[in-house]
Amino acid sequence: MVSADQGGGVMRADVLAERVEGLDEALAAVDGFDSALACGLLRPPAATAAGVTGLAQAVAGSPLAGRVAEAADKTVAGAGGEDHFVALAAARTALLGSVHDALIDQVAEVTGRTAREREVPQGGGLPVGNLHAAARSWLVDLARTGWRGIGHEAVAGVAPVVQAMLAEPRLRRPATLLDGFAVELAASCPGATLERVPVRRWADLWSRALLLTLPGTAEVPDAGVVTGRLLPLGVDLQEHAGAVQAQVHAVLEPVGGAAPRVVRASVSAPKPDSVVGAGLWQLLRPHMSLLAAAGEGRAMELTDMPVTVEGDLIWDDACARPGASADAFVTARVVLPTALDAATAPLDRHPARIAVPVFLEGYGVSEGDGVLTFFVGGHPLAVDVDRVPVASPLTAQAVAASGACIGLLRWDAGSYRLQPLAVEATVRKKPVALHAGGWAGGTADKVGAKGEKAATDAVTVLRERAGRLLRK
Amino acid sequence: MSEWERSSTARVVAPARPRRLAKVPFVELADGRLQGVVSSGSDIARVYVSSVVAGSYAFACSTNNNRPCGGARGAYCNHIRALISEAVLQFGPERVARYLKAETGGDEGPSAQSIAHAMSSTRPPQGDAAAAAPVFSRFLRHLSYLELAPVTTPLPEMQWFPPTRAVA
């Protein structure tokens, strides 16, 4: 049901406040296991051992039940091995998968859009080698000591594995995850003196990394190629010390009149930690013409662009050419409501992976304690302005003063929030559209250009140093 | 559990702040040390590998060819002072002081100068120069990240690493 008369555009925000059946119970089981992991699985004391058995009980009705129950028993007895930890990680992932599915059903009700078929087949399964085994044994050792027991030497042990994996582009997923995870662990050593531990986050990264070492988990099957007009909605940027990824969210209008579909295009690169701000766009820009198109508000014409079953375009500049100008807000108002949402691969069924493009207008805005909230049809929705990249014309002030917004609906720590991708606002009495990825392709803006220059200088120094020192 | 503890995307490490890299191309807080690489002021092909140990403030400085730094005899040399200053720019003074366990005292927050003073006034010992080789190889590994090919296959794992506008 569309409720535009409530001032909520096509979004039904009231649904977001509804309680999801079974969600609290599933998350409580996850929390119990995560607390055990924080203290270590070597010889779990009674208090945390209950968290391990609780996880097994929570999946007792699933096909995993037998293996997980055995894994929990062995672990509680202090005899947990690699296979047992993998089973526990799988159980935790399955539980969060069910949370994801419940949330996605709720989100579909909110947007009023239809999802493409839910079932996505598992990938083919590249053979896994010694590097996967080495990563797995590092992760198993981490689980034994727990986050409270981490030390510099143990954490540094993964560095050669990451380095070797990075050299092989097909292993970029595990390499990038392990690298980002290890940086955080290293910055938090020694674990014994940590004031607080990011309990769910590190358990997420740990279980995901562990499952990625198994055959077939890191591949999403191809679904052929697509041809048609690609209308960008906005750009989402992600970064850690050693990597950056930009994802363009867009709607594809296939030739031949088939229903439009929501798609993504991604480009990522490893990076030195001192490359930041505009430097991130500079690294990615030469490898995906779509970044500039999205920044300039242009469509692109795709011919036989490869796509996965998850709606991820495997971008190749040779399959794309610039199209006519295309206002993202027109796309969001007119085409997005009729588009089919993408399906999700098995391992990607996790609440943190939810990033659904939505369009809002006519909302109220409140600001307090540094938290920005939109009131959509009277219902509060927290706005995550912190996710807007540093090198961007979009500011918190512009979001607060906006009248229309394209964003990604996300869920974390028990509630939904909106990540703004673009807003329409009135600045100095003139209507403007500001995009988070507005500078993705470069900028003539004074502040933006200064950032570009600083970033160019930084990379020039590093390349000069590399040229002089690296090849000796 | 607090919201931060229950968050999948809790920010644990603040991103590096932008700084000019010409003088100190590499600085990190790792292995219980502030360590990095400082370009020589006179010889373009030479760099110094400098470090200060957290807690003991023991220091070491030598060239990438393992020659000891002439300035680092008995006290911090200019390379080590430059390293501290650039670390403060990149990571913020609080994080550097906390990592090194430098007691700067006073009501004002720490600064590069107060951190360097707090450590050097304890008359720290000369540290082990053996750390230089691994630091230099970490620097080379750091540089090699620029040579790795970008990919356009999606990395769903990066969903766990949102950017942040908060500074260190």
Side-chain angles (χ1 to χ4, degrees):
Chain A
M1 206 180 88
V2 175
S3 57
D5 54 342
Q6 289 182 6
V10 294
M11 218 182 100
R12 279 195 56 196
D14 56 320
V15 176
L16 296 180
E18 285 171 13
R19 209 178 149 271
V20 176
E21 193 73 31
L23 183 117
D24 291 345
E25 294 77 4
L27 290 176
V30 168
D31 288 344
F33 174 73
D34 293 356
S35 299
L37 199 52
C39 299
L41 302 180
L42 187 58
R43 279 178 217 88
T48 64
V52 179
T53 43
L55 178 68
Q57 282 154 12
V59 297
S62 84
L64 288 168
R67 286 185 61 183
V68 177
E70 190 205 336
D73 286 348
K74 293 279 187 200
T75 302
V76 167
E82 196 168 289
D83 291 346
H84 301 125
F85 291 176
V86 169
L88 293 173
R92 185 184 183 278
T93 304
L95 266 184
L96 285 163
S98 68
V99 172
H100 166 274
D101 292 355
L103 293 171
I104 276 290
D105 286 345
Q106 201 172 32
V107 169
E109 220 179 312
V110 169
T111 62
R113 297 199 300 265
T114 320
R116 292 166 67 86
E117 69 285 2
R118 170 75 60 73
E119 289 304 314
V120 170
Q122 189 67 55
L126 280 177
V128 297
N130 295 337
L131 287 174
H132 290 92
R136 199 154 54 231
S137 101
W138 179 75
L139 290 161
V140 165
D141 287 345
L142 274 185
R144 289 208 168 101
T145 58
W147 314 130
R148 293 275 173 204
I150 52 170
H152 288 295
E153 261 181 57
V155 170
V158 80
V161 181
V162 170
Q163 196 171 5
M165 280 184 166
L166 278 172
E168 169 57 74
R170 285 188 311 174
L171 301 181
R172 216 34 88 69
R173 282 182 61 182
T176 308
L177 173 57
L178 289 169
D179 200 10
F181 189 18
V183 165
E184 284 184 16
L185 293 174
S188 309
C189 283
T193 60
L194 274 180
E195 276 172 35
R196 56 179 189 170
V197 172
V199 182
R200 184 173 298 167
R201 173 177 177 76
W202 283 355
D204 273 357
L205 300 181
W206 176 82
S207 33
R208 199 168 174 86
L210 199 53
L211 295 188
L212 277 182
T213 67
L214 304 176
T217 48
E219 292 122 63
V220 176
D222 293 339
V225 294
V226 287
T227 297
R229 189 163 68 137
L230 188 69
L231 303 162
L233 288 166
V235 189
D236 173 31
L237 191 76
Q238 304 129 22
E239 63 168 320
H240 65 56
V244 57
Q245 173 169 261
Q247 289 190 315
V248 179
H249 291 260
V251 179
L252 176 78
E253 290 182 321
V255 284
R261 51 190 285 202
V262 176
V263 295
R264 278 177 307 241
S266 311
V267 59
S268 64
K271 71 172 190 73
D273 68 345
S274 45
V275 172
V276 291
L280 305 177
W281 298 128
Q282 290 177 0
L283 272 187
L284 303 177
R285 207 175 274 160
H287 304 280
M288 191 163 80
S289 52
L290 178 60
L291 283 180
E296 293 162 13
R298 269 190 293 109
M300 293 202 85
E301 301 293 335
L302 308 187
T303 308
D304 296 338
M305 182 72 79
V307 66
T308 71
V309 290
E310 281 194 283
D312 282 300
L313 303 172
I314 308 298
W315 193 265
D316 180 351
D317 273 347
C319 302
R321 57 189 169 80
S325 79
D327 182 346
F329 283 91
V330 174
T331 302
R333 284 187 170 98
V334 180
V335 193
L336 181 61
T338 67
L340 295 173
D341 271 312
T344 308
L347 188 61
D348 288 345
R349 291 169 49 238
H350 187 293
R353 175 65 171 56
I354 295 174
V356 178
V358 291
F359 173 69
L360 300 82
E361 63 183 333
Y363 41 80
V365 181
S366 94
E367 237 179 322
D369 295 336
V371 181
L372 191 64
T373 308
F374 284 174
F375 286 86
V376 188
H379 298 276
L381 178 60
V383 183
D384 193 353
V385 185
D386 203 30
R387 275 206 184 233
V388 176
V390 172
S392 166
L394 185 58
T395 60
Q397 291 86 335
V399 175
S402 67
C405 179
I406 302 171
L408 293 175
L409 193 57
R410 293 184 177 273
W411 188 95
D412 189 33
S415 62
Y416 285 99
R417 51 205 68 191
L418 180 76
Q419 172 189 353
L421 293 180
V423 301
E424 284 180 334
T426 306
V427 176
R428 290 189 205 95
K429 295 183 184 163
K430 280 186 188 155
V432 290
L434 294 168
H435 294 257
W439 294 348
T443 177
D445 177 274
K446 218 161 109 188
V447 177
K450 214 174 131 191
E452 291 276 338
K453 166 86 169 58
T456 309
D457 290 350
V459 171
T460 305
V461 168
L462 292 177
R463 289 206 195 280
E464 184 274 334
R465 292 284 87 181
R468 218 170 272 284
L469 301 165
L470 211 49
R471 281 173 273 284
K472 280 195 177 169
Chain B
M1 277 201 270
S2 70
E3 185 173 316
W4 188 81
E5 288 169 307
R6 286 185 297 118
S7 166
S8 288
T9 55
R11 271 69 156 190
V12 177
V13 187
R17 300 179 187 189
R19 63 179 183 89
R20 291 174 190 280
L21 302 179
K23 205 159 142 194
V24 181
F26 178 58
V27 57
E28 62 172 1
L29 299 166
D31 303 332
R33 287 187 297 263
L34 163 64
Q35 54 194 23
V37 169
V38 183
S39 297
S40 159
S42 55
D43 182 349
I44 196 160
R46 191 195 305 157
V47 292
Y48 288 87
V49 182
S50 315
S51 64
V52 179
V53 178
S56 76
Y57 315 141
F59 62 97
C61 187
S62 58
T63 70
N64 50 326
N65 296 322
N66 246 339
R67 296 210 180 84
C69 165
R73 291 203 185 100
Y76 290 175
C77 59
N78 287 336
H79 304 120
I80 288 174
R81 291 181 186 278
L83 187 71
I84 295 168
S85 297
E86 295 298 307
V88 164
L89 287 179
Q90 180 160 330
F91 303 113
E94 286 79 16
R95 188 165 150 204
V96 175
R98 199 168 56 235
Y99 194 90
L100 288 170
K101 302 188 180 78
E103 305 282 347
T104 53
D107 292 336
E108 291 163 32
S111 65
Q113 210 178 4
S114 69
I115 293 169
H117 179 75
M119 298 193 298
S120 61
S121 61
T122 65
R123 321 247 357 203
Q126 198 99 24
D128 183 2
V135 174
F136 191 66
S137 68
R138 285 171 68 103
F139 171 53
L140 294 184
R141 177 180 164 225
H142 183 82
L143 289 178
S144 72
Y145 273 38
L146 279 176
E147 323 260 314
L148 295 165
V151 298
T152 57
T153 47
L155 308 180
E157 289 67 35
M158 288 302 286
Q159 297 295 335
W160 273 263
F161 298 94
T164 173
R165 304 195 134 199
V167 291

